[in-house]
Amino acid sequence: MKNLKTGAESVLNCAGVFIAIGHSPNTDIFKGQIEMDANGFIILKRGTMINVAGVFVAGDCADHVYRQAITAAGAGCAAAIDAERFLAAANQ
């Protein structure tokens, strides 16, 4: 391991590691197009729906609490179901 503040390096024996790649959502590409909070997280309106009709969000870019892969997978499934329902309603 390397302490980025002091530059000191050390070895830590362990059975496993969880690596976090940051706490900022990768949503800059959508600025000005969809509604986000001050930290860049996409704001949910109902379920996985956002402020743009037919656009759904899932995972870390809307989840400032859990941010875990399993949360993203579950939210992805929910967004797919919401998208299917949206398309079905549009075709009626």
Side-chain angles (χ1 to χ4, degrees):
M1 297 187 315
K2 182 174 183 178
N3 183 318
L4 298 179
K5 291 182 181 178
T6 67
E9 295 184 10
S10 62
V11 174
L12 175 67
N13 294 320
C14 60
V17 176
F18 179 85
I19 299 174
I21 59 171
H23 296 288
S24 299
N26 191 11
T27 57
D28 287 347
I29 190 172
F30 304 114
K31 280 187 179 173
Q33 299 175 53
I34 59 177
E35 193 174 342
M36 292 184 247
D37 68 15
N39 295 314
F41 289 95
I42 298 170
I43 297 173
L44 299 170
K45 295 297 181 181
R46 194 177 96 225
T48 60
M49 296 177 198
I50 65 169
N51 66 307
V52 178
V55 178
F56 304 87
V57 66
D60 298 2
C61 62
D63 179 5
H64 64 279
V65 177
Y66 300 104
R67 301 186 200 148
Q68 301 293 326
I70 194 65
T71 302
C77 179
I81 291 169
D82 285 344
E84 185 275 331
R85 290 177 180 162
F86 175 83
L87 293 172
N91 289 323
Q92 289 183 9

